[in-house]
Amino acid sequence: MGPANYDNDTGTFAAVVRDWEDRFGVRVVGVGFSTLHLSVATPPSRLEDARAVAAEHFAFCPDNIWQGPHPDLASYAEGLIDLNCWDFWWD
């Protein structure tokens, strides 16, 4: 059920999203059975910053990289540049 099949400590997920709220202005816009959708007010605009965020996303939701449309973490990072929505999906 959602991130529980990855890690069932919902406090950890809440803390990460709260940190992203401070750093990137994220807001939760949707929560589903196994999904989380965030709006992002100030996404990374430089590749160097996007790489760091991509690593955080991988730690938060590895399925975004392992099962998503991007073949690797570098490609995923490039896709984060100026992206104003972040979607997470746990299989």
Side-chain angles (χ1 to χ4, degrees):
M1 291 190 180
N5 62 4
Y6 173 64
D7 184 342
N8 64 3
D9 183 0
T10 56
T12 300
F13 290 98
V16 171
V17 172
R18 177 64 178 97
D19 179 65
W20 289 343
E21 180 182 13
D22 288 341
R23 294 169 41 217
F24 304 106
V26 304
R27 295 287 187 262
V28 175
V29 295
V31 177
F33 177 74
S34 61
T35 60
L36 173 66
H37 307 281
L38 306 174
S39 68
V40 186
T42 56
S45 59
R46 300 178 323 139
L47 183 56
E48 179 180 334
D49 297 330
R51 287 181 181 144
V53 173
E56 292 181 44
H57 282 203
F58 181 72
F60 186 75
C61 180
D63 287 345
N64 272 22
I65 289 83
W66 289 341
Q67 298 181 35
H70 299 281
D72 54 38
L73 196 58
S75 173
Y76 183 86
E78 290 173 7
L80 291 176
I81 296 173
D82 296 325
L83 184 65
N84 64 0
C85 61
W86 295 345
D87 297 308
F88 299 94
W89 162 70
W90 293 268
D91 185 21

